[in-house]
Amino acid sequence: MMEEFGVQDAQIDALLEQILDRYGYNFTHYARPSLKRRINRLYMLDRFRDFEDFRNRIQYDADYFRHFVEEITVNVTEMFRDPHFYRCLRQEVLPKLAAAPLIRIWHAGCSTGEEVFSMAIMLQEAGLLQKSLLYATDINPGVLEKLRKGIFPLRYMKQFSENYILSGGTEDFSKYYSARYDWAKFDEQLVKRMVISPHNLATDRSFNEFQLILCRNVLIYFNKELQHKALQLFDDSLEINGYLALGGKENLKYSPIAYKYRQFPDHQRIWKKNI
Protein backbone atom coordinates (compact mmCIF):
# COMPACT_ATOMS: atom_id res chain seq x y z
CA MET A 1 0.00 0.00 0.00
CA MET A 2 1.33 3.46 -0.91
CA GLU A 3 2.43 5.60 2.00
CA GLU A 4 -0.43 7.88 2.94
CA PHE A 5 1.40 11.19 2.66
CA GLY A 6 3.76 10.40 -0.19
CA VAL A 7 7.52 10.79 -0.05
CA GLN A 8 8.81 12.76 2.92
CA ASP A 9 11.78 15.15 3.14
CA ALA A 10 14.09 12.68 4.89
CA GLN A 11 13.31 10.06 2.27
CA ILE A 12 14.01 12.55 -0.52
CA ASP A 13 17.37 13.35 1.06
CA ALA A 14 18.27 9.65 1.10
CA LEU A 15 17.03 9.19 -2.46
CA LEU A 16 19.05 12.14 -3.80
CA GLU A 17 22.23 10.88 -2.10
CA GLN A 18 21.63 7.44 -3.62
CA ILE A 19 21.16 8.95 -7.09
CA LEU A 20 24.35 10.98 -6.72
CA ASP A 21 26.35 7.88 -5.68
CA ARG A 22 24.80 5.58 -8.31
CA TYR A 23 24.46 7.83 -11.35
CA GLY A 24 26.44 11.00 -10.62
CA TYR A 25 23.38 13.24 -10.96
CA ASN A 26 23.24 15.92 -8.28
CA PHE A 27 19.74 17.16 -7.49
CA THR A 28 20.50 18.08 -3.88
CA HIS A 29 20.52 21.83 -4.53
CA TYR A 30 17.35 21.98 -6.60
CA ALA A 31 14.59 24.10 -5.07
CA ARG A 32 12.95 21.68 -2.64
CA PRO A 33 9.23 22.58 -3.00
CA SER A 34 9.21 22.06 -6.78
CA LEU A 35 11.40 18.95 -6.59
CA LYS A 36 9.31 17.38 -3.83
CA ARG A 37 6.11 18.06 -5.74
CA ARG A 38 7.44 16.36 -8.87
CA ILE A 39 8.85 13.35 -7.01
CA ASN A 40 5.56 12.83 -5.19
CA ARG A 41 3.63 13.15 -8.43
CA LEU A 42 5.74 10.41 -10.04
CA TYR A 43 5.52 8.24 -6.91
CA MET A 44 1.73 8.45 -6.90
CA LEU A 45 1.24 8.07 -10.66
CA ASP A 46 3.36 4.92 -10.84
CA ARG A 47 1.61 3.47 -7.77
CA PHE A 48 4.52 2.10 -5.79
CA ARG A 49 3.75 -0.05 -2.74
CA ASP A 50 6.08 1.98 -0.54
CA PHE A 51 9.14 4.22 -0.64
CA GLU A 52 11.63 1.33 -0.66
CA ASP A 53 9.98 -0.10 -3.76
CA PHE A 54 10.29 3.31 -5.44
CA ARG A 55 13.90 3.74 -4.31
CA ASN A 56 14.94 0.27 -5.47
CA ARG A 57 13.35 0.75 -8.88
CA ILE A 58 15.39 3.94 -9.37
CA GLN A 59 18.54 2.25 -8.05
CA TYR A 60 18.45 -0.90 -10.18
CA ASP A 61 16.44 -0.01 -13.28
CA ALA A 62 18.41 2.38 -15.50
CA ASP A 63 15.47 2.82 -17.88
CA TYR A 64 13.23 3.85 -15.03
CA PHE A 65 15.89 6.24 -13.77
CA ARG A 66 15.89 7.95 -17.18
CA HIS A 67 12.12 8.23 -16.86
CA PHE A 68 12.60 9.71 -13.37
CA VAL A 69 14.98 12.38 -14.74
CA GLU A 70 12.53 13.27 -17.52
CA GLU A 71 9.70 13.66 -15.02
CA ILE A 72 11.47 15.78 -12.40
CA THR A 73 13.32 18.13 -14.75
CA VAL A 74 11.24 20.94 -16.24
CA ASN A 75 10.89 20.86 -20.03
CA VAL A 76 8.58 23.72 -20.94
CA THR A 77 9.72 25.73 -23.95
CA GLU A 78 8.72 27.00 -27.39
CA MET A 79 10.34 28.63 -30.40
CA PHE A 80 10.92 32.39 -30.13
CA ARG A 81 9.41 32.31 -26.65
CA ASP A 82 9.07 35.90 -25.43
CA PRO A 83 9.36 37.53 -28.89
CA HIS A 84 10.52 40.89 -27.50
CA PHE A 85 13.56 39.12 -26.02
CA TYR A 86 14.38 37.59 -29.41
CA ARG A 87 13.89 40.91 -31.17
CA CYS A 88 16.50 42.36 -28.81
CA LEU A 89 18.90 39.53 -29.60
CA ARG A 90 18.28 39.96 -33.31
CA GLN A 91 18.75 43.74 -33.33
CA GLU A 92 21.24 44.40 -30.52
CA VAL A 93 23.34 41.30 -29.87
CA LEU A 94 23.85 39.42 -33.13
CA PRO A 95 25.24 42.49 -34.97
CA LYS A 96 27.85 42.78 -32.20
CA LEU A 97 28.84 39.13 -32.62
CA ALA A 98 29.12 39.38 -36.39
CA ALA A 99 32.77 40.53 -36.34
CA ALA A 100 33.99 37.36 -34.61
CA PRO A 101 35.67 34.79 -36.89
CA LEU A 102 33.81 32.01 -35.04
CA ILE A 103 30.68 32.65 -32.98
CA ARG A 104 30.22 30.27 -30.04
CA ILE A 105 26.83 30.26 -28.29
CA TRP A 106 25.85 28.06 -25.35
CA HIS A 107 22.23 27.14 -24.63
CA ALA A 108 22.44 25.70 -21.10
CA GLY A 109 19.44 23.66 -19.97
CA CYS A 110 18.15 23.68 -23.54
CA SER A 111 15.41 21.03 -23.03
CA THR A 112 14.06 19.79 -26.39
CA GLY A 113 15.82 22.59 -28.23
CA GLU A 114 13.14 24.95 -29.48
CA GLU A 115 15.21 27.94 -28.41
CA VAL A 116 18.33 26.50 -30.06
CA PHE A 117 16.45 26.23 -33.36
CA SER A 118 15.20 29.79 -32.87
CA MET A 119 18.79 30.99 -32.55
CA ALA A 120 19.91 28.97 -35.58
CA ILE A 121 17.15 30.52 -37.69
CA MET A 122 18.11 34.05 -36.61
CA LEU A 123 21.79 33.36 -37.33
CA GLN A 124 20.91 32.05 -40.78
CA GLU A 125 18.86 35.14 -41.55
CA ALA A 126 21.76 37.33 -40.39
CA GLY A 127 24.18 35.41 -42.64
CA LEU A 128 26.10 34.14 -39.60
CA LEU A 129 25.08 30.50 -39.22
CA GLN A 130 27.94 28.99 -41.19
CA LYS A 131 30.52 30.56 -38.88
CA SER A 132 28.60 29.76 -35.69
CA LEU A 133 28.54 26.80 -33.31
CA LEU A 134 25.55 26.37 -31.04
CA TYR A 135 26.34 24.26 -27.99
CA ALA A 136 23.11 22.73 -26.68
CA THR A 137 23.28 21.03 -23.29
CA ASP A 138 20.85 19.58 -20.77
CA ILE A 139 20.99 17.19 -17.84
CA ASN A 140 18.33 15.03 -19.49
CA PRO A 141 19.62 12.84 -22.37
CA GLY A 142 16.05 12.08 -23.47
CA VAL A 143 15.26 15.67 -24.44
CA LEU A 144 18.57 15.94 -26.29
CA GLU A 145 17.53 13.04 -28.50
CA LYS A 146 14.43 14.99 -29.48
CA LEU A 147 16.62 17.99 -30.27
CA ARG A 148 18.88 15.90 -32.53
CA LYS A 149 15.88 14.70 -34.53
CA GLY A 150 14.50 18.23 -34.95
CA ILE A 151 10.93 16.92 -35.11
CA PHE A 152 8.09 18.74 -33.35
CA PRO A 153 4.28 18.42 -33.41
CA LEU A 154 2.83 20.23 -36.40
CA ARG A 155 0.13 21.78 -34.20
CA TYR A 156 2.82 23.92 -32.53
CA MET A 157 3.84 25.62 -35.77
CA LYS A 158 1.08 28.24 -35.70
CA GLN A 159 2.27 29.55 -32.31
CA PHE A 160 5.94 29.28 -33.32
CA SER A 161 5.24 31.21 -36.52
CA GLU A 162 3.42 33.98 -34.65
CA ASN A 163 6.30 34.27 -32.17
CA TYR A 164 8.79 34.36 -35.05
CA ILE A 165 6.99 37.26 -36.75
CA LEU A 166 6.71 39.20 -33.49
CA SER A 167 10.45 38.70 -32.94
CA GLY A 168 11.20 40.49 -36.20
CA GLY A 169 11.27 37.55 -38.58
CA THR A 170 10.34 38.46 -42.14
CA GLU A 171 10.56 35.12 -43.98
CA ASP A 172 7.87 32.51 -44.43
CA PHE A 173 8.45 30.44 -41.27
CA SER A 174 7.33 27.25 -43.05
CA LYS A 175 10.50 27.38 -45.21
CA TYR A 176 12.45 26.07 -42.21
CA TYR A 177 10.60 22.77 -41.87
CA SER A 178 8.89 20.09 -43.90
CA ALA A 179 5.52 18.79 -42.76
CA ARG A 180 4.52 15.14 -42.83
CA TYR A 181 1.35 13.85 -41.23
CA ASP A 182 1.19 15.47 -37.78
CA TRP A 183 4.88 16.34 -37.53
CA ALA A 184 7.25 19.09 -38.63
CA LYS A 185 10.89 18.23 -39.28
CA PHE A 186 13.29 21.17 -39.26
CA ASP A 187 16.03 21.72 -41.83
CA GLU A 188 19.07 19.53 -41.12
CA GLN A 189 21.34 22.44 -42.09
CA LEU A 190 20.28 24.05 -38.81
CA VAL A 191 21.18 20.94 -36.78
CA LYS A 192 24.61 20.67 -38.41
CA ARG A 193 25.76 23.80 -36.57
CA MET A 194 24.75 22.39 -33.17
CA VAL A 195 26.99 20.57 -30.71
CA ILE A 196 24.57 18.55 -28.55
CA SER A 197 25.76 17.02 -25.28
CA PRO A 198 24.64 16.21 -21.73
CA HIS A 199 25.84 18.69 -19.11
CA ASN A 200 24.93 19.02 -15.43
CA LEU A 201 25.04 22.58 -14.13
CA ALA A 202 25.33 21.24 -10.58
CA THR A 203 28.48 19.17 -11.10
CA ASP A 204 30.10 19.77 -14.51
CA ARG A 205 32.69 22.41 -15.32
CA SER A 206 33.21 24.96 -18.06
CA PHE A 207 34.09 23.37 -21.39
CA ASN A 208 34.66 26.32 -23.75
CA GLU A 209 34.64 30.10 -24.04
CA PHE A 210 31.54 31.75 -25.46
CA GLN A 211 30.38 35.12 -26.74
CA LEU A 212 26.75 34.44 -25.77
CA ILE A 213 25.27 32.15 -23.09
CA LEU A 214 21.53 31.58 -22.71
CA CYS A 215 20.03 29.82 -19.69
CA ARG A 216 16.40 30.82 -19.53
CA ASN A 217 13.94 29.66 -16.87
CA VAL A 218 16.31 27.07 -15.39
CA LEU A 219 17.78 28.89 -12.40
CA ILE A 220 14.34 29.43 -10.87
CA TYR A 221 14.32 25.70 -10.03
CA PHE A 222 17.66 25.93 -8.14
CA ASN A 223 18.24 27.08 -4.59
CA LYS A 224 20.42 30.17 -4.03
CA GLU A 225 23.63 28.20 -3.59
CA LEU A 226 23.22 26.37 -6.89
CA GLN A 227 22.07 29.55 -8.65
CA HIS A 228 25.30 31.27 -7.64
CA LYS A 229 27.34 28.23 -8.64
CA ALA A 230 25.74 28.13 -12.09
CA LEU A 231 26.20 31.87 -12.59
CA GLN A 232 29.87 31.55 -11.66
CA LEU A 233 30.18 28.76 -14.23
CA PHE A 234 28.65 31.03 -16.88
CA ASP A 235 30.99 33.85 -15.91
CA ASP A 236 33.98 31.50 -16.20
CA SER A 237 32.73 30.47 -19.66
CA LEU A 238 31.96 33.92 -21.07
CA GLU A 239 34.37 36.19 -22.91
CA ILE A 240 34.74 39.81 -21.82
CA ASN A 241 32.18 41.82 -23.83
CA GLY A 242 30.11 38.66 -24.14
CA TYR A 243 26.40 38.42 -23.31
CA LEU A 244 24.45 36.42 -20.73
CA ALA A 245 20.70 35.91 -21.16
CA LEU A 246 18.40 34.63 -18.40
CA GLY A 247 14.67 34.04 -17.99
CA GLY A 248 12.04 36.61 -17.13
CA LYS A 249 12.08 35.86 -13.39
CA GLU A 250 15.86 35.44 -13.10
CA ASN A 251 18.38 38.12 -12.22
CA LEU A 252 22.05 38.84 -11.60
CA LYS A 253 21.23 41.61 -9.14
CA TYR A 254 22.24 39.87 -5.91
CA SER A 255 24.80 37.44 -7.33
CA PRO A 256 28.56 37.57 -6.62
CA ILE A 257 29.28 38.26 -10.31
CA ALA A 258 26.82 41.16 -10.70
CA TYR A 259 29.52 43.86 -10.52
CA LYS A 260 31.03 42.61 -13.79
CA TYR A 261 27.86 43.05 -15.83
CA ARG A 262 25.64 45.76 -17.25
CA GLN A 263 22.00 44.96 -17.91
CA PHE A 264 20.30 45.96 -21.15
CA PRO A 265 17.68 48.72 -20.90
CA ASP A 266 13.91 48.14 -20.86
CA HIS A 267 14.32 45.39 -18.25
CA GLN A 268 15.52 42.87 -20.82
CA ARG A 269 17.11 39.87 -19.10
CA ILE A 270 20.34 40.28 -21.08
CA TRP A 271 23.61 41.39 -19.50
CA LYS A 272 26.91 42.39 -21.09
CA LYS A 273 30.12 41.31 -19.37
CA ASN A 274 32.33 44.38 -18.94
CA ILE A 275 35.26 42.97 -16.90
Side-chain angles (χ1 to χ4, degrees), residues 73-265:
T73 53
V74 180
N75 300 302
V76 178
T77 184
E78 63 186 38
M79 289 191 186
F80 297 94
R81 184 182 188 183
D82 186 1
H84 186 57
F85 166 81
Y86 277 96
R87 182 180 288 271
C88 187
L89 286 179
R90 188 191 294 272
Q91 296 177 348
E92 303 293 335
V93 176
L94 293 190
K96 300 290 195 307
L97 302 185
L102 175 64
I103 300 170
R104 294 180 302 277
I105 298 172
W106 180 14
H107 286 263
C110 67
S111 186
T112 44
E114 284 87 337
E115 294 202 14
V116 190
F117 277 97
S118 303
M119 180 63 69
I121 288 169
M122 289 199 306
L123 288 166
Q124 180 159 304
E125 292 180 355
L128 301 174
L129 183 61
Q130 291 309 308
K131 68 167 186 173
S132 299
L133 287 176
L134 284 71
Y135 291 76
T137 68
D138 199 277
I139 193 175
N140 182 347
V143 297
L144 295 177
E145 277 306 307
K146 294 178 181 178
L147 167 54
R148 283 191 183 92
K149 293 176 181 176
I151 299 174
F152 302 95
L154 189 61
R155 66 181 183 275
Y156 294 172
M157 293 307 112
K158 181 177 184 295
Q159 181 64 57
F160 293 174
S161 179
E162 290 174 0
N163 290 348
Y164 164 77
I165 292 168
L166 290 172
S167 77
T170 57
E171 302 286 340
D172 181 350
F173 186 69
S174 65
K175 70 180 279 189
Y176 295 111
Y177 65 86
S178 55
R180 186 173 184 184
Y181 302 112
D182 295 328
W183 299 95
K185 180 174 175 56
F186 277 76
D187 188 343
E188 290 185 1
Q189 296 303 312
L190 302 175
V191 183
K192 285 181 178 178
R193 305 308 300 173
M194 299 177 189
V195 180
I196 303 167
S197 178
H199 185 275
N200 187 337
L201 292 172
T203 56
D204 294 339
R205 297 180 179 179
S206 175
F207 56 91
N208 211 325
E209 194 170 36
F210 302 93
Q211 292 102 344
L212 171 61
I213 298 175
L214 302 96
C215 184
R216 304 182 68 221
N217 306 305
V218 176
L219 300 185
I220 54 174
Y221 299 103
F222 295 172
N223 66 18
K224 284 292 182 186
E225 180 183 350
L226 187 52
Q227 286 177 8
H228 291 164
K229 183 177 181 180
L231 289 171
Q232 185 61 60
L233 172 63
F234 298 150
D235 184 59
D236 293 341
S237 306
L238 193 64
E239 292 182 356
I240 293 177
N241 295 319
Y243 299 89
L244 175 62
L246 302 177
K249 295 181 180 179
E250 297 163 338
N251 210 319
L252 289 188
K253 190 172 183 180
Y254 300 109
S255 75
I257 67 168
Y259 71 97
K260 298 183 179 183
Y261 290 80
R262 177 182 58 81
Q263 188 175 4
F264 271 45

Side-chain angles (χ1 to χ4, degrees), residues 31-67:
R32 181 53 64 98
S34 173
L35 182 66
K36 183 177 181 179
R37 187 166 57 250
R38 288 172 174 273
I39 288 175
N40 269 294
R41 177 180 177 275
L42 181 62
Y43 176 71
M44 301 301 288
L45 282 176
D46 289 351
R47 304 187 65 79
F48 287 95
R49 292 192 306 273
D50 52 35
F51 173 71
E52 283 306 311
D53 188 28
F54 181 50
R55 183 172 169 175
N56 287 335
R57 182 74 181 276
I58 292 170
Q59 170 83 350
Y60 299 111
D61 186 338
D63 287 337
Y64 188 79
F65 174 68
R66 283 192 288 272
H67 173 62

